[in-house]
Amino acid sequence: MTTKHRLELVASSILVAVALLVALPVGAHAESPEIPDDLDREYRYWLETVSLLISDAELEYFLSIEEDFRRHAFMEKFWEVRDPDPRTPYNEFKGKWMSRVDQALEDWGSLEDARSRFYLLNGEPGRFPLGNGQVLDICYSSRTELEIWFYGGSEQTSAQFAVIFYRPVYRSDWPYQVWLRMRKLEAEVRSQLPSDNPADFCTGDIFQGAVQLILSEPAYEIFIEGLMRVPKPRSEEWIDSFEALTTDLPQGVETFDVELEFDFPGRNQSRTAVQGLVSVPSEVAGSRPLPNGKVHEFLLIGEVIRNNRLFESFRYQFEVPGSSTAGPTMPLIFQRFLREGDVEIRVKVEDIYGRRFAHVRRQLSIPDASGLRSIRQAPDSAIFRLLDEANEAAERGQTTVRLVPLEEGEIQLGHVRFNTVVSGEVDRVTFLLNEREIMTKRQPPYSLELNLGSVAASHRVRVVAVDAEGTERASDEILINQGGQRFRVRLVEPRADREYLDSLSAVAQVEVPDGSALERVEIFLGEERIATLYQEPFIQPIILQQPGLAYVRAVGFLEDGNTTEDVVFVNAPDYFENIEVQLVELYATVLGRGGRPLLDLPREAFTVLEDGEEQEIRRFEYVRDLPIHAALLVDTSASMEDGIDQVAEAARTFVDQTIQERDRLALISFDVRPRVEVKFSSDKDQISARLDGLRPRGSTALYDSLIFALHYFDGVKGQKALMLLSDGIDEASRFSFENALETARRAGVTVYVIGMKELAADRRSRETLRDLAKITGGHAFFIDDVSALPEIYEQIQEELRSQYLLVYQSTSDKDESLFRRVEVKVKGAEVRTVAGYYP
């Protein structure tokens, strides 16, 4: 068949399948704000590089900014909200985009050209076999110039596709556009090109290959529009958040005056502690009445400007009880750590109840931190003198001790060496394991080998540095064999062993689960909230209203609403004892005949036994649609080669049908070692994409991977479930099944086992894994074919969503190192719950 005849056959299909030629309008803003002629060239160029990305709202706000430091801050935030992984220091999206901008401008001279835009969003054309192997060609008619790109997949799709760009031949100054429909294109090429042209790519394999790819996509126009869709920022409301953190006053608001003073109470490593004191006149402050008095509330926004760049923004919220406002002013105290040099600090104070604003600027010269101890004098301000006691904590910070982290992701057993890095005035360093003193070392190197035992249990290793007078100068701790899901707030100041008369400093350290974000830390003195801190450092000086027993609380909040807290009692008498109440939470599934969950049973139907002794149920709740944290532990060893696609498909169905907005699912694959493919997330697309990418390889380290996955839940609160899917018996683990069983006893995670092929056929493996599932309140399934997976996932989902929460206070006086057996009974029914726990 000749080239001409092949083209005619393709063309006849086109006439039926597609309509008239149109150009795709991409990246254009219909009525964008006009860029003023006097805008600095730096900013005009930046706007050109992001012209495809920036929304009208973002452009309008940027053009309204009047100061350079804030323009630069906006530009940095613009890229930050588009960073695919903000936890890493490098912004992959920005780096890739700017590199492509440079290449597009070099190749095509303008970002208005559709080739530039398609390249920016999809990268270079791919290479896959087609005709004579060419992937990009230009062909001409008497009126139209065409450029054809082929992709063997792009960053947005794995599909092969072609895209055709065009412009009039005699308008070389025009940008290229995208052709979407092919009828007029075919007519143009066939009628205008000489039929005997041997170099005619448009009537050869290149053009035919493009047309065939286009026709293979039933909704080609929609498909290409999707590939040209501009990626959105993580939050489309980020401008509101950005504006809220500026010190500019809203137009037309009522204002009042405040005083702003500074002190330099200490240092944090190479940075100087800068303490700001805002004095608000008591007589002008608004308040809200309470049953036992009144309360004032202030929002403080600050900006630190260095060399005409925004160094940092900070935000605090203060609540001042009416009982604390006997004086003429109310102190609002904040603390930052800054480098030496000249800065401008701007502060905006909003009186929440008075609906008034204050604004103040100060030029400040930050002293060198290295000489801070010698230059620190008793401050002139009466308030700063009152804070002198609290600021001793900053001076203690000049001595540091740090435990060197162990290799991340490794389970630690047996003898493990712990090393420290120590600076400052240290006489000795004491090592503690689970709060039990092990050894004190009086000279470097300050390192020690600790025996962590033969069970993969969680441990806390702490080091304390003490000076020659016996005063604790610094401490540090690390958690061993605990996953990345722990949410913890720890108050390192104040200390229970010290007496505080006038003031103290609340210093909190925060650990945030993988994939989560901290919203705020609230600091309380007793039950009165003193301040809300929205970013590090989490340090808040507190003035004590009266001497004597008091307690300080720090409460951390994640963006998803989860909370955690720590409390320290100060000025307590020697006989004072802080008693911790041990509350035990049990999630139980009750099954009736046929294995179906029994719903809406009353409290009286349940009996809870701990080591055979009946316990009083303090809280009882039937929880339908309970938010869950679940993990899929999927075997990707070489034996899974034949079934991995069906396993992935069944898992995707489970994710699509089960995971709701409040749920979190993690994906962990394993062969000779486990790998976290997706951290706890509710992003179904991300989980599905990683399931698609699972590829079998290597041997099966089943028990090692079980232990790793169980520890990965550490710190997660509420209902937790692990679904293990494997087809092979263990052949590569360094840990035994007994290690995995003991880890499961301690983890509080419900385990569901799905065994196939060799694992299902091996009697010993079946029995051991049934035991594992049973002691955790789960279930074991053994199947011959992966087609049974959807039904199993549906059963697991039903059980997880239909549970009873039973809470009791243990009456046991058993040693805390011993396992406590738990049994829940319901007459005439099967109850699945954990077999026990370690306190």
Side-chain angles (χ1 to χ4, degrees):
M1 182 182 294
T2 66
T3 299
K4 181 177 180 180
H5 290 155
R6 287 198 304 268
L7 178 59
E8 287 174 347
L9 287 177
V10 172
S12 65
S13 299
I14 296 172
L15 294 174
V16 176
V18 296
L20 295 174
L21 168 70
V22 297
L24 175 66
V26 289
H29 299 276
E31 296 181 4
S32 299
E34 290 188 11
I35 300 176
D37 295 335
D38 59 350
L39 185 65
D40 189 88
R41 185 168 61 178
E42 174 189 3
Y43 307 122
R44 297 180 70 88
Y45 175 74
W46 181 79
L47 288 175
E48 179 185 1
T49 65
V50 300
S51 58
L52 185 60
L53 297 175
I54 195 166
S55 69
D56 285 343
E58 290 171 325
L59 178 58
E60 184 176 2
Y61 185 85
F62 179 79
L63 295 177
S64 72
I65 299 174
E66 297 181 353
E67 295 182 273
D68 286 345
F69 83 87
R70 195 159 289 142
R71 288 192 180 105
H72 282 276
F74 179 96
M75 291 155 62
E76 290 179 9
K77 190 67 177 178
F78 177 90
W79 290 117
E80 181 184 323
V81 297
R82 289 165 169 83
D83 187 354
D85 190 356
R87 293 167 296 182
T88 62
Y90 180 68
N91 188 330
E92 296 83 357
F93 180 81
K94 176 185 177 183
K96 179 175 64 178
W97 185 269
M98 295 307 295
S99 175
R100 288 180 180 176
V101 163
D102 291 341
Q103 188 65 49
L105 291 175
E106 180 179 338
D107 290 349
W108 301 295
S110 168
L111 300 185
E112 291 298 313
D113 192 294
R115 295 170 300 178
S116 296
R117 296 173 182 175
F118 205 89
Y119 167 67
L120 287 170
L121 294 169
N122 293 275
E124 292 278 1
R127 185 172 292 276
F128 60 94
L130 176 69
N132 59 7
Q134 293 173 318
V135 297
L136 184 153
D137 276 289
I138 299 176
C139 56
Y140 300 88
S141 75
S142 60
R143 291 181 297 184
T144 308
E145 177 182 325
L146 305 178
E147 188 165 322
I148 306 173
W149 291 9
F150 293 97
Y151 282 84
S154 78
E155 295 168 1
Q156 302 191 66
T157 179
S158 60
Q160 295 183 356
F161 65 93
V163 59
I164 301 176
F165 306 95
Y166 83 97
R167 72 177 176 187
V169 165
Y170 298 110
R171 295 308 304 264
S172 60
D173 57 327
W174 282 21
Y176 274 78
Q177 298 293 326
V178 177
W179 290 72
L180 287 182
R181 301 174 184 172
M182 304 296 294
R183 180 176 178 178
K184 189 174 180 180
L185 173 62
E186 178 272 332
E188 177 83 9
V189 171
R190 186 168 55 181
S191 63
Q192 298 298 329
L193 281 177
S195 60
D196 58 350
N197 185 351
D200 177 13
F201 287 116
C202 292
T203 56
D205 290 340
I206 295 294
F207 180 72
Q208 287 194 57
V211 171
Q212 289 167 0
L213 277 176
I214 290 170
L215 289 176
S216 68
E217 175 58 52
Y220 180 74
E221 181 177 351
I222 297 174
F223 174 73
I224 292 295
E225 285 178 344
L227 296 180
M228 298 293 283
R229 189 171 296 123
V230 175
K232 296 183 180 297
R234 292 193 309 274
S235 169
E236 296 191 54
E237 300 177 353
W238 74 269
I239 296 178
D240 294 334
S241 301
F242 179 85
E243 186 173 24
L245 278 175
T246 70
T247 57
D248 288 344
L249 296 183
Q251 292 185 352
V253 298
E254 185 179 348
T255 62
F256 65 99
D257 294 328
V258 297
E259 293 294 329
L260 177 60
E261 303 173 74
F262 291 97
D263 186 30
F264 309 105
R267 73 181 185 192
N268 182 356
Q269 299 179 0
S270 62
R271 294 197 177 189
T272 299
V274 179
Q275 197 170 84
L277 168 63
V278 177
S279 298
V280 178
S282 300
E283 61 182 10
V284 303
S287 63
R288 176 169 63 91
L290 295 175
N292 57 348
K294 62 180 180 179
V295 66
H296 309 274
E297 189 168 348
F298 303 95
L299 181 64
L300 185 149
I301 305 294
E303 293 174 315
V304 180
I305 304 160
R306 185 191 296 270
N307 298 327
N308 202 29
R309 292 290 187 271
L310 182 66
F311 178 76
E312 71 169 11
S313 298
F314 53 89
R315 176 166 60 128
Y316 293 79
Q317 194 158 333
F318 298 96
E319 292 187 5
V320 183
S323 58
S324 306
T325 59
T329 62
M330 287 177 284
L332 310 180
I333 305 160
F334 61 90
Q335 188 158 305
R336 314 304 302 163
F337 293 125
L338 303 177
R339 295 196 303 267
E340 174 191 8
D342 295 331
V343 298
E344 179 185 350
I345 297 184
R346 301 183 184 185
V347 171
K348 175 177 69 177
V349 178
E350 179 182 357
D351 180 356
I352 301 295
Y353 301 126
R355 299 182 180 179
R356 285 183 290 264
F357 290 81
H359 186 272
V360 60
R361 300 183 183 187
R362 289 289 184 273
Q363 299 294 328
L364 198 62
S365 184
I366 311 297
D368 180 8
S370 63
L372 195 57
R373 288 192 68 189
S374 61
I375 67 170
R376 185 175 180 275
Q377 304 293 330
D380 294 332
S381 165
I383 294 293
F384 279 132
R385 281 196 296 272
L386 198 60
L387 287 167
D388 196 51
E389 186 178 8
N391 291 332
E392 290 179 13
E395 291 207 356
R396 285 197 298 275
Q398 296 181 65
T399 297
T400 62
V401 58
R402 293 288 182 266
L403 276 161
V404 178
L406 302 177
E407 185 174 353
E408 187 175 355
E410 289 291 326
I411 301 297
Q412 304 294 336
L413 291 179
H415 290 82
V416 178
R417 177 161 292 278
F418 292 88
N419 299 303
T420 65
V421 178
V422 179
S423 65
E425 299 177 3
V426 173
D427 180 66
R428 56 192 184 273
V429 173
T430 299
F431 289 79
L432 299 95
L433 177 61
N434 300 325
E435 296 306 315
R436 181 169 61 90
E437 188 172 319
I438 303 298
M439 180 178 286
T440 297
K441 303 199 74 173
R442 294 184 175 273
Q443 59 184 12
Y446 296 112
S447 61
L448 186 67
E449 190 173 87
L450 298 176
N451 185 1
L452 301 183
S454 59
V455 176
S458 300
H459 300 283
R460 186 191 306 274
V461 176
R462 191 159 73 93
V463 290
V464 179
V466 178
D467 64 15
E469 287 73 37
T471 301
E472 178 182 326
R473 303 291 293 186
S475 67
D476 192 25
E477 65 178 51
I478 57 175
L479 304 174
I480 307 300
N481 295 338
Q482 298 193 350
Q485 305 311 310
R486 177 168 293 274
F487 179 32
R488 188 170 72 128
V489 170
R490 174 181 171 231
L491 277 167
V492 295
E493 287 282 345
R495 299 209 308 261
D497 60 351
R498 286 201 57 202
E499 183 178 4
Y500 299 88
L501 300 178
D502 297 317
S503 64
L504 55 83
S505 188
V507 182
Q509 294 178 345
V510 183
E511 297 175 41
V512 178
D514 289 344
S516 297
L518 183 73
E519 182 189 23
R520 66 188 189 276
V521 173
E522 296 182 351
I523 304 296
F524 291 78
L525 179 61
E527 292 304 308
E528 291 183 343
R529 183 168 52 199
I530 300 298
T532 302
L533 286 59
Y534 293 91
Q535 64 282 308
E536 293 184 298
F538 299 114
I539 297 176
Q540 184 56 46
I542 299 174
I543 298 172
L544 299 175
Q545 299 303 312
Q546 55 187 16
L549 175 65
Y551 62 93
V552 175
R553 283 197 303 143
V555 185
F557 294 79
L558 295 181
E559 288 183 346
D560 62 11
N562 281 324
T563 67
T564 188
E565 68 176 77
D566 191 21
V567 60
V568 173
F569 285 85
V570 297
N571 299 337
D574 294 338
Y575 58 81
F576 182 84
E577 182 179 3
N578 185 14
I579 300 175
E580 184 175 343
V581 176
Q582 176 67 52
L583 291 177
V584 181
E585 289 187 351
L586 301 176
Y587 289 93
T589 300
V590 184
L591 304 176
R593 294 179 181 178
R596 305 297 296 179
L598 294 179
L599 313 179
D600 300 322
L601 294 173
R603 180 197 299 248
E604 294 73 23
F606 291 81
T607 301
V608 178
L609 303 174
E610 181 175 303
D611 291 329
E613 296 291 328
E614 186 171 348
Q615 306 292 310
E616 179 186 355
I617 300 174
R618 296 292 186 90
R619 180 183 169 197
F620 174 85
E621 184 180 355
Y622 172 64
V623 279
R624 184 77 177 174
D625 296 327
L626 182 75
I628 58 174
H629 275 76
L632 286 171
L633 179 60
V634 180
D635 185 349
T636 54
S637 60
S639 61
M640 292 286 288
E641 181 73 40
D642 295 336
I644 193 67
D645 290 339
Q646 289 174 281
V647 166
E649 180 60 34
R652 269 195 303 274
T653 302
F654 172 78
V655 170
D656 290 339
Q657 296 179 355
T658 304
I659 300 303
Q660 301 175 6
E661 184 178 353
R662 295 186 299 163
D663 300 329
R664 297 293 183 270
L665 181 75
L667 175 62
I668 305 172
S669 66
F670 73 94
D671 41 63
V672 73
R673 64 183 297 272
R675 300 175 185 83
V676 178
E677 303 285 352
V678 179
K679 298 176 180 180
F680 280 113
S681 171
S682 59
D683 187 338
K684 297 181 182 181
D685 292 339
Q686 181 188 19
I687 299 167
S688 295
R690 292 306 300 160
L691 283 167
D692 286 338
L694 296 181
R695 295 292 180 266
R697 60 184 177 184
S699 302
T700 307
L702 178 60
Y703 301 144
D704 284 2
S705 302
L706 261 173
I707 290 172
F708 174 87
L710 289 167
H711 279 296
Y712 190 68
F713 280 90
D714 184 73
V716 173
K717 297 179 181 180
Q719 174 67 313
K720 300 169 285 186
L722 173 66
M723 284 157 281
L724 163 67
L725 196 151
S726 177
D727 72 343
I729 61 176
D730 190 281
E731 56 188 9
S733 288
R734 65 188 180 105
F735 296 122
S736 66
F737 173 73
E738 286 69 28
N739 289 134
L741 191 67
E742 187 62 21
T743 302
R745 290 177 185 270
R746 299 171 182 270
V749 178
T750 304
V751 178
Y752 292 91
V753 176
I754 305 173
M756 304 179 298
K757 295 184 180 179
E758 186 178 356
L759 185 61
D762 187 83
R763 184 178 62 83
R764 182 180 178 185
S765 295
R766 289 201 313 269
E767 294 305 314
T768 54
L769 290 174
R770 279 198 181 103
D771 289 343
L772 177 71
K774 184 177 180 180
I775 69 165
T776 64
H779 190 59
F781 305 87
F782 297 97
I783 57 178
D784 297 325
D785 194 287
V786 293
S787 62
L789 284 175
E791 184 178 347
I792 291 173
Y793 281 135
E794 184 177 354
Q795 181 177 338
I796 293 173
Q797 177 193 183
E798 187 174 17
E799 290 187 13
L800 292 175
R801 295 291 185 196
S802 308
Q803 295 206 322
Y804 295 89
L805 173 60
L806 310 170
V807 181
Y808 69 91
Q809 181 180 335
S810 174
T811 60
S812 176
D813 57 1
K814 197 174 183 177
D815 188 282
E816 291 190 356
S817 64
L818 300 177
F819 185 73
R820 299 180 181 183
R821 298 191 176 276
V822 172
E823 186 178 6
V824 178
K825 295 182 178 181
V826 174
K827 188 175 181 180
E830 176 191 354
V831 181
R832 290 184 188 162
T833 190
V834 294
Y837 70 98
Y838 285 92

